[in-house]
Amino acid sequence: MHELDPETVPAQLEKVAGLTHPEWLPDLARLELGCHRAMNIPLPQPEELQTLTINPSLQLLPVPWTHLLTLLTFGKKQDMERVEPGEELVLIWSDPTNRNLRFETALPDHLLALKMVTEGITPEEAAQQANQPIALFDAVLWDAVRKGVLLAPLSRLRRTPAIASQAVDNRFVAAEVFTLQWHLTQSCDLSCKHCYDRSQRAAFPFDRAVTLMQELRDFCWSRFVRPQVSFSGGNPLLHPDFYRIYQAAADHGLMTAILGNATERSNIERLMAIQRPVYYQVSLEGLEEHNDSIRGEGNFKRTIAFLEMLTELGVPNMVMLTLTRNNLDQVIPLAAVLEGITGGLTFNRLALFGEGARLALPTREEYKAFLEQYVAAMPTHPVLALKDSLLNVIYDDRGEPLFGGCAGFGCGAAFNFIAILSDGEVHACRKFPSPIGNILKQSLEEVYNAETAARYRDGSTACHGCKLKPVCGGCLAVTASFGHDPLTSKDPYCFRTK
């Protein structure tokens, strides 16, 4: 008995369609044949790709029926009854991440992405031809990559071989997002006791802001990573051109986040009308009495109400706490208060710069005990999030999976983020003086590729050889605030003994 050739099935079914079988059966067989082909076409490895490429397993099939696609799954009688004459284009492909079969009705954005790649049309050219913001065309391509319809090369924003060779997981080798932490203005409506910088600086000029966004977009596309701007300050909303800058960021296809203070509902609605922030981060320093002693009377209640309003409006939000000796015991109680109000609570250790130099830090022993309590509390306090890289010391001691540390790759200073101040100064990290250039005088590429930036990317030589380096590296800002050279000294809070 001869084995049935899948390629011949649709033609065989044409002979009985409309007689003993539904008229649409041959076309369903063509879809199933497309599935068979998609799952048997080898996919290139990401490291083999140099540019965006159409997934070679992709099948683009016209069918003269609507709702036929639902029958590729476990179709029921009512699904069959919905099939009726009508033109549809169907996409079928093998998912590059897991080789699972995927299919859906082709949408205009799918077809546009395929046309752009096939004909070599850049987003810039498409935007010019259509007289539309480039963000629309960037989004079309990135969405096609996310779905696996297009294949992208590996991220070129990668750790050096010396660091990458120590990584226990490839997730900690290459970044998928590059972020500008952009301090647009020093103006602020608060006067916090731990403020890192109260110096007088000019607000960032609008014209340079626009050209910098184009540089950021180009920087990221050349490395096949997504661009993000985290607007901060001061209070970024107090910049005289903030909404124009925010609109320009959206038009350039940049993901946007806000690191700021509570504000009026109308301001958030104005943001949302332009582009939903990836997240809006506010700060609390503990429970109400302690928080208000640091951030001003009434701040706690205003911030809680603001978080509730953000959630109501559908804006992802989170809370950051600056950890000192005086609020060490308030983090977990604060988490209990914030459950159901915000998406996450995490902390940064205080770096002893600016106003914060007058505050007290815990001892290393107190800090280690706090981290152990924090980890123990996480199962019952899901709002607690991971950030401080030294938590990985605890996880490693327990033989538990590691996480990405402070910036997803241990210390991400000058690697997957940089900080730009309102007068153009660029720092590897905002928490301590770490100048690497001036964006009013240099391009983003020049700043990022500078030798000083590369030194901060390498982190402290004291951590070389430690297997946790790719997900830790300590906190350079805290090390510097103790008067040590952050590029040669160990984080004074590191308690790793192995």
Side-chain angles (χ1 to χ4, degrees), residues 326-337:
N326 292 331
N327 64 4
L328 204 66
D329 61 348
Q330 297 192 32
V331 177
I332 295 171
L334 178 61
V337 173

Side-chain angles (χ1 to χ4, degrees), residues 216-475:
L216 173 60
R217 181 193 170 276
D218 294 344
F219 176 95
C220 290
W221 265 112
S222 69
R223 291 162 173 81
F224 293 100
V225 297
R226 298 294 305 274
Q228 177 172 310
V229 175
S230 294
F231 291 112
S232 187
N235 183 348
L237 275 68
L238 297 181
H239 188 286
D241 291 312
F242 173 73
Y243 292 101
R244 292 175 67 202
I245 292 174
Y246 193 85
Q247 179 70 65
D251 289 345
H252 281 81
L254 313 181
M255 296 185 291
T256 49
I258 307 292
L259 315 179
N261 304 329
T263 188
E264 296 176 2
R265 184 187 187 97
S266 59
N267 290 335
I268 302 303
E269 291 173 338
R270 189 173 177 184
L271 282 180
M272 293 283 281
I274 299 171
Q275 176 171 287
R276 182 194 306 272
V278 177
Y279 62 86
Y280 196 119
Q281 177 183 295
V282 295
S283 295
L284 288 171
E285 309 309 332
L287 299 175
E288 184 172 2
E289 181 179 356
H290 179 75
N291 176 83
D292 288 2
S293 73
I294 298 292
R295 303 185 67 82
E297 185 177 353
N299 175 267
F300 187 88
K301 284 187 170 67
R302 284 195 303 274
T303 302
I304 294 294
F306 180 65
L307 290 167
E308 292 173 335
M309 184 258 287
L310 288 176
T311 299
E312 176 193 341
L313 292 176
V315 180
N317 55 82
M318 59 184 295
V319 173
M320 176 63 69
L321 177 144
T322 300
L323 196 71
T324 69
R325 191 173 196 177
N326 292 331
N327 64 4
L328 204 66
D329 61 348
Q330 297 192 32
V331 177
I332 295 171
L334 178 61
V337 173
L338 293 176
E339 291 291 350
I341 294 176
T342 186
L345 165 65
T346 189
F347 64 90
N348 269 324
R349 279 177 282 157
L350 173 73
L352 299 170
F353 291 105
E355 299 293 318
R358 295 182 292 184
L359 301 180
L361 283 168
T363 65
R364 183 169 61 176
E365 292 71 25
E366 289 170 336
Y367 185 63
K368 179 184 178 183
F370 163 74
L371 291 185
E372 290 171 339
Q373 294 167 5
Y374 191 91
V375 170
M378 290 186 70
T380 55
H381 296 76
V383 75
L384 292 174
L386 295 171
K387 183 170 177 64
D388 193 296
S389 298
L390 290 182
L391 284 162
N392 274 317
V393 178
I394 292 177
Y395 287 127
D396 185 59
D397 286 345
R398 297 179 178 183
E400 297 179 10
L402 306 179
F403 77 106
C406 182
F409 305 87
C411 175
F415 171 57
N416 63 331
F417 75 89
I418 57 174
I420 297 178
L421 306 191
S422 63
D423 62 356
E425 278 189 18
V426 185
H427 290 253
C429 173
R430 181 64 179 106
K431 288 178 60 181
F432 75 113
S434 47
I436 57 176
N438 191 304
I439 207 68
L440 298 185
K441 301 175 182 177
Q442 299 167 278
S443 70
L444 178 59
E445 284 283 357
E446 289 172 330
V447 170
Y448 191 84
N449 293 323
E451 184 178 345
T452 50
R455 284 289 294 113
Y456 282 110
R457 275 195 289 282
D458 284 343
S460 175
T461 56
C463 297
H464 289 182
C466 176
K467 76 171 189 176
L468 297 185
K469 175 67 181 286
V471 293
C472 185
C475 178

Side-chain angles (χ1 to χ4, degrees), residues 45-103:
Q45 295 300 311
E47 56 267 24
E48 299 172 8
L49 301 174
Q50 298 301 315
T51 188
L52 292 183
T53 303
I54 294 175
N55 186 327
S57 73
L58 183 69
Q59 311 288 308
L60 180 59
L61 304 175
V63 292
W65 308 94
T66 61
H67 308 300
L68 191 61
L69 201 56
T70 58
L71 302 185
L72 282 181
T73 56
F74 295 101
K76 299 179 180 179
K77 182 178 179 181
Q78 56 264 37
D79 296 319
M80 297 182 187
E81 293 172 349
R82 293 178 62 217
V83 177
E84 57 187 29
E87 298 298 322
E88 279 191 348
L89 274 175
V90 172
L91 296 177
I92 301 173
W93 71 99
S94 173
D95 191 318
T97 59
N98 52 28
R99 290 307 309 244
N100 287 340
L101 183 69
R102 296 192 62 179
F103 47 81

